[in-house]
Amino acid sequence: PLAARDVFRNPWHFLAYGFGAGLARRAPGTAGTVVAIPIYLLVQLGGIWFYLGFTLAAFFAGIAICGYTARKMGIDDPSGVVWDEIVGYLISMAAAPLGVLWIVAGFVLFRIFDIWKPWPIRVLDRRVKGGLGIMLDDVVAGLFTAILLALAVHFLNL
């Protein structure tokens, strides 16, 4: 892992490490997802088109950001790189209603998919390398979460 001084001195590492959340000794991915919550709350204020544009831009930026830090570290997918969790959570919440229940449900479901890595997430995680590989498994985990949240809204009439 990178030292805190390296994370805070290099803007690429600072972003890749989720503004420092990736420095958490335990569960850095979970810490990165926690950081995503206030970002979600801010970005959703801009409306759906801003939200989707921001999330798409964060995804493409993440390919470069995560790829750069992984290359500098010489590790395929460093555990401290959590920008992918931030983007994955934003995808998870793209169509969710506002509210604490939905924020928590999205958080829990996203972490389950990101940790468990069911098919095809596991395949993507193993086969796609570089910045795209780091990002892609979290994107699919976010899509799975978004689908489950949308189904919950529809069938529970919430």
Side-chain angles (χ1 to χ4, degrees), residues 59-76:
F59 166 70
F60 284 114
I63 294 170
I65 291 165
C66 297
Y68 172 85
T69 296
R71 279 190 309 278
K72 290 294 183 183
M73 294 177 70
I75 302 171
D76 281 339

Side-chain angles (χ1 to χ4, degrees), residues 83-138:
W83 183 267
D84 50 330
E85 273 80 9
I86 294 169
V87 173
Y89 184 75
L90 291 175
I91 291 168
S92 297
M93 301 304 290
L98 289 175
V100 174
L101 169 73
W102 296 104
I103 290 169
V104 172
F107 180 91
V108 170
L109 288 171
F110 175 71
R111 291 308 302 144
I112 288 170
F113 284 123
D114 190 33
I115 293 166
W116 178 37
K117 297 193 187 312
W119 183 92
I121 299 170
R122 179 174 284 125
V123 173
L124 292 169
D125 186 52
R126 289 181 181 164
R127 294 191 182 165
V128 183
K129 300 298 178 197
L132 179 62
I134 293 170
M135 295 298 299
L136 211 49
D137 65 307
D138 291 271

Side-chain angles (χ1 to χ4, degrees), residues 1 7 12 16 23-24 33 44 47 62-63 72 77 80 92 100 102 104 106 110 128 141 150 153 155-157:
V7 170
W12 289 87
L23 292 168
T33 308
Q44 61 82 28
I63 294 170
K72 290 294 183 183
D77 190 353
S92 297
V100 174
W102 296 104
V104 172
F110 175 71
V128 183
V153 169
F155 287 110
L156 299 175
N157 295 317

Side-chain angles (χ1 to χ4, degrees), residues 15-86:
L15 291 172
Y17 266 62
F19 314 103
L23 292 168
R25 291 182 190 261
R26 289 196 162 166
T30 299
T33 308
V34 169
V35 166
I37 294 171
I39 296 170
Y40 157 72
L41 291 170
L42 285 173
V43 175
Q44 61 82 28
L45 293 172
I48 190 64
W49 291 111
F50 177 78
Y51 187 95
L52 294 174
F54 180 90
T55 303
L56 188 63
F59 166 70
F60 284 114
I63 294 170
I65 291 165
C66 297
Y68 172 85
T69 296
R71 279 190 309 278
K72 290 294 183 183
M73 294 177 70
I75 302 171
D76 281 339
D77 190 353
S79 62
V81 170
V82 297
W83 183 267
D84 50 330
E85 273 80 9
I86 294 169

